[in-house]
Amino acid sequence: MEDAYARSVTEVLDFFGVDPKRGLTDAQVTQHARLYGKNVLPEEKRASFWKLVLKQFDDLLVKILIVAALVSFVLALINGDTGLTAFLEPSVILMILAANAAVGVITETNAEKALEELRAYQADIATVLRNGCFSILPATELVPGDIVEVAVGCKIPADMRMIEMLSNQLRVDQAILTGESCSVEKELESTTATNVVYQDKTNILFSGTVVVAGRARAIVVGVGTHTAMGGIHDSMLRTEDEVTPLKKKLDEFGTFLAKVIAGICVLVWIVNIGHFRDPAHGGLLRGAIHYFKIAVALAVAAIPEGLPAVVTTCLALGTKRMARLNAIVRSLPSVETLGCTTVICSDKTGTLTTNMMSASKVCVLHTVQHAPVISEYSVSGTTYAPEGTIFDSTGLQLELPAQSPCLLHIAMCSALCNESILQYNPDKGNYEKIGESTEVALRVLAEKIGLPGFDSMPSSLNMLSKHERASYCNHYWEDHFKKISVADFTRDRKMMSVLCSRNQLQIMFSKGAPESIISRCTNILCNDDGSTIPLTASIQAELESRFHSFAGKETLRCLALAFKRMPMGLQSLSHNDENDLTFIGLVGMLDPPREEVRNAMLSCMTAGIRVIVVTGDNKTTAESLCRKIGAFDHLADLAGHSYTATEFEELPALQKTLALQRMALFTRVEPSHKRMLVEALRHQNEVVAMTGDGVNDAPALKKADIGIAMGSGTAVAKSASDMVLADDNFATIVAAVAEGRAIYNNTKQFIRYMISSNIGEVVCIFVAAVLGIPDTLAPVQLLWVNLVTDGLPATAIGFNKQDSDVMKAKPRKVNEAVVSGWLFFRYLVIGAYVGLATVAGFIWWFLYFDSGPKLPYSELMNFDSCSTRETTYPCSIFDDRHPSTVSMTVLVVVEMFNALNNLSENQSLLVIPPWSNLWLVGSIILTMILHVLILYVHPLSVLFSVTPLSWSEWTVVLYLSFPVIIIDEVLKFFSRSSTGIRWFSFRWRRPDSLPKKELHEK
């Protein structure tokens, strides 16, 4: 029944055909179970293990590598190779791909737990009326129409419509669903409002929320997926994981690279058609196969096999650094996504605020000697911890607050006229509440005021254990006063009273809404001497003025406290006793903002990131908070920047678009609105981070580009998020964004390094094929260079330090290419030099090396016909391993120098020297040690078809390798001057003019 909130109690009972005194019959239960289903959330259909494994290979470059591995194996068998030679190259490729797949499967298996943990918010049992009898049943057996009784501490088992109040009031904490900082009072009357949100359904008890005060009966109107919690479950099921900006760009680049590779491979094969019949190949077919093998080697050279592993490693390094900043990353790609975040949609309660109601102001009458003087005290401390101090209006700290008569009586009243519990949880290491948050705030205030008569009071309290300290002062007053009777809070009185006795003295303490308490007071307590004087009209007017200031301008939730001496022997309270009270003081409470949030807001604005505060609270309260944290500092007027969910939905389409571009505050929202907001912003090509901690935030967290949950939040929110803030600190997001930007910059650097190196390998093979000289590098040598020499330095580049101005730049655009036109030109120039230097080393050994054959160039070009001609040298010279070893070593060393080029995209090595990244220096040294090992250790040299080099050969290797640094320094100079790259930017610019809705396709 979807509109139960708008129907009367009688209408709802008639709809389900139930007698409120007897409940459903067994026959009705069976019928309703068949009609409406079970009260359980269905399990998500998970992809099978093998589907997850196959998904990891759904990448174009990976598929090309698999084909290359298989072709390499088949060709080895055709050539008659057996044993290690035939299996080495394909085995290494497949091992790398298997390792990458394993990482992907583990990540995806661990990621999707939110839907399972959502079930933890379903109640286990319920007190149900059936066949005229109450019984306790599993909550899963509830059906619509069941009559359920709830009381303090009960978790609501299903969505239910209130039908009978069994106490003066019923209050429910529904923050996990709506984000409201205070508990909500429920009532029996139907709702007449239109466009209602959860907060307006004041007669509905929502599944998963908790009763904090009172007792009532209600009828079940929604079970399972038809509850508010079920709606969140369905919303999360409909939300598919989004591809991150970096992954999207890497996929695009991979597709582009694959096309280029395919074209070059075909071109190399076609260029050599004339050589198919060369005698050295032993026939046309064998010649075709030989050059096909070269084309496959070219594909292996061009594809950066280590790129996925290095990207993953770099992101993992970033997550370790972020963990030290209290940002725990659950999804590796989200680290990079942070770097291009343009909008942060921040939940208010628990994210910008502490979600702990705290007394912040106290107002009392100081004296009336010359004229009424009202004193205001401010209270520090924003959590439930009994840690804080009290300051007077001049900002001076009170050493012994309990010596002030009014503050002493406020402490007594707060401790005695209270039904909540404050306790310390050693497992979580924090203080927790049981009961109303406003009552707990009064308990904490009593602890901060302390006890009278002890000069060493503050230090004495600090010596207690945290468990004892939680309610030491409250217990003191409860031990000294005996509670006799309690008059519970009612909606008509708007107050609560408790009758206490102490030393032949009976006192009634009262607390409640200021307008109710003040109107019942005839006297007032003075703070200067503890005397009681009549409450005059002028004093009352001054108190009401302060109350309106607290509640209006400062949006504090106010309670007034009073007391009255009662006749001895009284055993119960009547409502008539609550007159002729003595006013003690006014306490203003709020859910306080976190102290570090204001600076975090400023940092976000400096970095070009817009913050939208999203909350279920009312507009006035939220606007007051936003002013305190600086969210409105850049706005002269709130018009067009602050909307309730209803106001936003009523806007025409065009105005909605404009509102989204200017919005800074979104209030009175429910889960569907949060998800809608994320979708609308992403439709405008924004990269959205959503913060939150409640169950209500989970669908939006999952839908956002990056979901950021609070460490103290619900398990559902954490599991639906990409990142968890261990310290619940909004400021941590700023540090995480800076880290995300730095990681992206480093990612670009090592992609540039790996691709330019691979271009060099392609150029090497292509030039050798075009010139008709012998193969410069064997496939297994190419694989060695790609894996070991590329992988270690590329990973170390991930340790490059942040640029000093990383948070002063605007967020990069989501459609910005990883490789721009000018950058690709630099790839080509560096790659071309790497390839030509490698070929030059090979030719040098044959033509110019003193210990080499010193062949004429024409003989080198006609090597394949050597066996059919008379020569002055043996044909076996072309099988010598020295020239390919020189080429391979040139390739390794030139790539090490190229790694140093990538300490910064544009800064010179003179500005950012190699020792600024000792990890990179170490990786280069380790790579060279590994390379020397395969040259000089016999079994390895045979495996990789290499041989030891002489000092003269090493000298030439260094001469050919070092110029890559000079070339890149020249290119960096042009990059810094910026004018040199305009032509390339224009020539290489690609029209990323897709409709905005397509930019975020799944």
Side-chain angles (χ1 to χ4, degrees):
M1 189 176 187
E2 294 182 357
D3 62 344
Y5 60 87
R7 304 286 187 92
S8 67
V9 173
T10 305
E11 287 178 302
V12 177
L13 292 170
D14 290 344
F15 179 86
F16 291 107
V18 59
D19 180 352
K21 301 299 181 184
R22 294 191 55 78
L24 294 175
T25 64
D26 290 339
Q28 285 178 306
V29 169
T30 304
Q31 180 186 8
H32 288 193
R34 187 173 63 252
L35 282 174
Y36 304 110
K38 292 185 176 181
N39 187 31
V40 293
L41 297 178
E43 293 188 13
E44 180 191 16
K45 292 181 180 178
R46 292 183 173 274
S48 68
F49 173 77
W50 291 110
K51 282 186 178 179
L52 284 177
V53 171
L54 292 174
K55 181 182 176 183
Q56 310 309 314
F57 294 95
D58 188 19
D59 182 271
L60 190 56
L61 290 179
V62 171
K63 290 173 183 174
I64 293 174
L65 270 178
I66 292 172
V67 171
L70 294 174
V71 169
S72 176
F73 178 63
V74 170
L75 291 178
L77 292 180
I78 291 173
N79 284 344
D81 296 338
T82 56
L84 191 61
T85 309
F87 289 97
L88 180 64
E89 185 181 332
S91 298
V92 172
I93 292 174
L94 293 176
M95 282 172 60
I96 297 164
L97 297 178
N100 284 334
V103 172
V105 169
I106 291 169
T107 301
E108 293 202 26
T109 303
N110 291 335
E112 288 302 318
K113 293 182 180 176
L115 295 173
E116 291 178 9
E117 288 167 341
L118 194 58
R119 296 189 186 91
Y121 289 88
Q122 291 181 289
D124 297 322
I125 57 173
T127 304
V128 188
L129 177 64
R130 286 183 181 173
N131 301 309
C133 297
F134 276 102
S135 57
I136 298 176
L137 299 175
T140 54
E141 295 183 12
L142 287 181
V143 297
D146 266 326
I147 305 297
V148 177
E149 187 167 308
V150 295
V152 176
C154 283
K155 187 181 288 184
I156 306 299
D159 279 9
M160 305 190 295
R161 167 67 159 89
M162 294 268 293
I163 61 171
E164 185 180 358
M165 193 79 74
L166 301 178
S167 61
N168 292 323
Q169 63 166 345
L170 185 84
R171 299 190 71 86
V172 177
D173 181 355
Q174 54 187 40
I176 64 165
L177 184 68
T178 62
E180 292 165 290
S181 54
C182 299
S183 61
V184 177
E185 186 175 350
K186 295 297 181 177
E187 55 189 22
L188 299 177
E189 289 77 15
S190 57
T191 302
T192 57
T194 56
N195 297 324
V196 291
V197 294
Y198 289 147
Q199 294 90 327
D200 298 325
K201 299 176 182 179
T202 52
N203 52 27
I204 299 292
L205 307 179
F206 296 107
S207 175
T209 59
V210 179
V211 179
V212 296
R215 184 165 153 259
R217 286 180 189 167
I219 180 171
V220 176
V221 294
V223 295
T225 56
H226 300 289
T227 62
M229 205 67 74
I232 293 173
H233 180 274
D234 288 347
S235 179
M236 292 171 69
L237 275 178
R238 291 194 301 271
T239 303
E240 296 181 23
D241 291 332
E242 302 289 337
V243 178
T244 67
L246 178 62
K247 179 69 167 66
K248 195 178 295 183
K249 291 303 171 185
L250 286 178
D251 288 345
E252 290 175 7
F253 185 69
T255 304
F256 168 74
L257 195 60
K259 292 175 182 176
V260 173
I261 291 166
I264 293 175
C265 290
V266 171
L267 185 61
V268 167
W269 196 73
I270 292 173
V271 165
N272 286 285
I273 286 178
H275 295 284
F276 285 2
R277 295 181 181 275
D278 289 348
H281 304 312
L284 177 67
L285 180 59
R286 284 189 172 276
I289 291 174
H290 173 78
Y291 286 104
F292 183 65
K293 193 172 182 180
I294 290 177
V296 171
L298 193 91
V300 173
I303 296 173
E305 293 94 340
L307 183 59
V310 174
V311 170
T312 302
T313 305
C314 186
L315 295 178
L317 292 173
T319 63
K320 286 191 69 175
R321 287 197 294 267
M322 292 172 76
R324 289 196 292 268
L325 301 172
N326 291 314
I328 300 162
V329 176
R330 298 185 64 256
S331 170
L332 283 182
S334 63
V335 176
E336 174 274 330
T337 309
L338 271 170
C340 55
T341 299
T342 59
V343 177
I344 297 176
C345 296
S346 176
D347 189 46
K348 178 185 78 72
T349 305
T351 306
L352 300 174
T353 68
T354 62
N355 196 21
M356 298 181 188
M357 192 63 72
S358 173
S360 65
K361 288 285 183 73
V362 176
C363 174
V364 298
L365 176 67
H366 182 68
T367 182
V368 287
Q369 287 183 359
H370 303 291
V373 176
I374 302 292
S375 291
E376 273 190 22
Y377 297 97
S378 58
V379 185
S380 68
T382 58
T383 67
Y384 290 142
E387 301 161 359
T389 49
I390 298 176
F391 301 89
D392 63 19
S393 56
T394 64
L396 186 67
Q397 180 180 334
L398 300 187
E399 294 297 331
L400 296 170
Q403 288 185 349
S404 301
C406 287
L407 292 180
L408 177 64
H409 281 76
I410 284 175
M412 287 189 227
C413 186
S414 296
L416 298 168
C417 194
N418 202 315
E419 294 185 331
S420 67
I421 298 173
L422 176 66
Q423 62 187 16
Y424 180 72
N425 185 331
D427 296 331
K428 295 182 180 178
N430 59 18
Y431 292 88
E432 295 180 340
K433 71 178 178 77
I434 297 176
E436 274 287 354
S437 56
T438 51
E439 291 198 334
V440 176
L442 289 177
R443 285 213 180 273
V444 176
L445 176 62
E447 295 295 328
K448 291 176 181 177
I449 291 172
L451 300 175
F454 298 96
D455 292 339
S456 60
M457 178 46 59
S459 57
S460 300
L461 289 174
N462 292 334
M463 293 173 65
L464 297 172
S465 69
K466 290 188 175 181
H467 177 73
E468 293 174 311
R469 181 69 187 93
S471 295
Y472 185 86
C473 299
N474 282 272
H475 289 160
Y476 175 89
W477 295 119
E478 288 170 342
D479 290 341
H480 282 71
F481 285 88
K482 179 184 176 183
K483 285 189 182 181
I484 299 172
S485 177
V486 176
D488 288 327
F489 181 95
T490 59
R491 294 185 63 196
D492 54 341
R493 289 163 45 245
K494 293 184 179 179
M495 63 184 293
M496 169 193 177
S497 297
V498 58
L499 179 62
C500 304
S501 67
R502 180 190 183 190
N503 299 332
Q504 302 301 311
L505 179 69
Q506 290 200 177
I507 301 178
M508 180 182 72
F509 290 103
S510 301
K511 76 169 191 293
E515 61 271 22
S516 295
I517 295 289
I518 293 174
S519 64
R520 295 169 185 264
C521 290
T522 54
N523 298 299
I524 188 167
L525 186 67
C526 290
N527 198 40
D528 60 343
D529 57 6
S531 61
T532 299
I533 63 169
L535 177 62
T536 63
S538 62
I539 298 174
Q540 183 171 335
E542 180 64 21
L543 288 173
E544 289 175 349
S545 172
R546 294 299 176 101
F547 160 57
H548 291 304
S549 173
F550 280 10
K553 183 180 177 182
E554 300 184 51
T555 61
L556 300 178
R557 185 171 186 184
C558 296
L559 284 178
L561 308 181
F563 75 98
K564 180 182 179 181
R565 294 196 176 189
M566 306 297 288
M568 287 299 299
L570 191 66
Q571 295 298 312
S572 63
L573 290 175
S574 68
H575 294 171
N576 291 330
D577 293 325
E578 296 177 322
N579 291 312
D580 299 324
L581 304 178
T582 298
F583 185 84
I584 303 173
L586 193 66
V587 178
M589 293 171 282
L590 81 163
D591 181 8
R594 296 182 181 277
E595 294 175 359
E596 53 284 314
V597 165
R598 173 173 277 277
N599 288 336
M601 283 279 175
L602 182 61
S603 297
C604 285
M605 293 172 188
T606 305
I609 300 170
R610 184 159 58 103
V611 179
I612 300 177
V613 178
V614 184
T615 178
D617 261 354
N618 66 67
K619 193 173 183 178
T620 306
T621 303
E623 285 180 352
S624 172
L625 174 85
C626 287
R627 287 189 181 93
K628 290 175 183 175
I629 62 175
F632 292 158
D633 283 0
H634 61 298
L635 304 176
D637 182 15
L638 294 187
H641 298 282
S642 174
Y643 294 91
T644 65
T646 304
E647 289 170 350
F648 181 77
E649 286 183 328
E650 290 173 353
L651 292 175
L654 181 60
Q655 289 187 28
K656 274 186 180 178
T657 302
L658 295 173
L660 283 169
Q661 294 170 358
R662 305 175 62 201
M663 184 184 292
L665 177 63
F666 197 35
T667 54
R668 302 299 283 174
V669 301
E670 56 184 43
S672 59
H673 294 129
K674 293 185 177 185
R675 192 173 186 273
M676 174 274 294
L677 177 64
V678 171
E679 288 177 340
L681 288 168
R682 296 181 77 239
H683 185 76
Q684 292 194 350
N685 205 23
E686 303 279 9
V687 179
V688 184
M690 170 59 126
T691 72
D693 59 356
V695 172
N696 58 320
D697 299 316
L701 288 174
K702 194 172 181 186
K703 183 67 180 173
D705 292 289
I706 174 164
I708 306 172
M710 300 296 117
S712 63
T714 61
V716 179
K718 292 176 191 175
S719 293
S721 67
D722 301 297
M723 189 174 84
V724 179
L725 301 184
D727 59 356
D728 287 10
N729 193 337
F730 182 83
T732 303
I733 298 173
V734 179
V737 169
E739 191 62 47
R741 291 184 174 190
I743 287 171
Y744 178 76
N745 291 340
N746 290 344
T747 302
K748 279 179 67 177
Q749 287 306 99
F750 70 67
I751 289 174
R752 172 193 163 202
Y753 165 67
M754 295 185 77
I755 299 301
S756 61
S757 298
N758 283 35
I759 288 174
E761 294 165 20
V762 171
V763 169
C764 167
I765 294 176
F766 183 75
V767 169
V770 170
L771 294 178
I773 62 176
D775 299 341
T776 52
L777 296 169
V780 69
Q781 293 171 335
L782 281 171
L783 206 57
W784 167 259
V785 173
N786 275 357
L787 292 181
V788 183
T789 60
D790 281 5
L792 289 174
T795 304
I797 288 171
F799 287 96
N800 285 349
K801 293 181 179 178
Q802 280 186 21
D803 292 339
S804 57
D805 60 347
V806 72
M807 283 302 286
K808 294 179 182 176
K810 300 300 179 187
R812 74 176 193 277
K813 294 182 179 177
V814 70
N815 56 357
E816 176 186 300
V818 176
V819 182
S820 63
W822 169 246
L823 204 56
F824 189 68
F825 173 76
R826 286 172 60 177
Y827 286 1
L828 291 177
V829 173
I830 297 296
Y833 180 79
V834 171
L836 292 174
T838 306
V839 174
F842 186 86
I843 295 174
W844 168 84
W845 191 90
F846 277 106
L847 273 60
Y848 303 109
F849 183 41
D850 291 337
S851 301
K854 292 195 173 182
L855 300 178
Y857 183 66
S858 58
E859 288 294 321
L860 184 61
M861 287 185 63
N862 295 302
F863 78 98
D864 48 6
S865 61
C866 176
S867 59
T868 63
R869 298 181 288 109
E870 287 189 11
T871 58
T872 58
Y873 55 88
C875 292
S876 60
I877 194 69
F878 296 114
D879 295 324
D880 195 306
R881 289 184 294 172
H882 274 89
S884 63
T885 304
V886 170
S887 287
M888 181 183 177
T889 306
V890 168
L891 186 56
V892 169
V893 175
V894 78
E895 289 187 6
M896 294 306 99
F897 283 126
N898 191 29
L900 294 176
N901 287 332
N902 288 278
L903 284 166
S904 172
E905 184 173 330
N906 296 317
Q907 291 298 322
S908 168
L909 278 172
L910 299 175
V911 176
I912 302 180
W915 51 87
S916 65
N917 185 345
L918 293 177
W919 288 99
L920 181 58
V921 174
S923 70
I924 291 173
I925 293 171
L926 180 58
T927 298
M928 291 309 302
I929 290 172
L930 290 172
H931 184 68
V932 169
L933 280 177
I934 71 164
L935 293 187
Y936 295 96
V937 176
H938 181 67
L940 294 175
S941 62
V942 172
L943 183 63
F944 288 98
S945 300
V946 293
T947 190
L949 298 180
S950 65
W951 177 247
S952 57
E953 287 170 314
W954 274 105
T955 303
V956 171
V957 166
L958 292 172
Y959 278 138
L960 289 171
S961 304
F962 185 76
V964 74
I965 286 185
I966 298 171
I967 293 170
D968 201 56
E969 285 292 311
V970 172
L971 293 171
K972 284 180 178 180
F973 172 77
F974 281 109
S975 293
R976 291 194 298 271
S977 67
S978 74
T979 53
I981 65 172
R982 288 178 185 170
W983 183 83
F984 290 96
S985 299
F986 175 77
R987 296 282 296 176
W988 287 90
R989 187 177 298 138
R990 292 190 300 155
D992 287 323
S993 55
L994 290 171
K996 287 182 178 178
K997 67 179 181 180
E998 294 179 24
L999 288 171
H1000 286 289
E1001 283 184 347
K1002 300 175 180 65

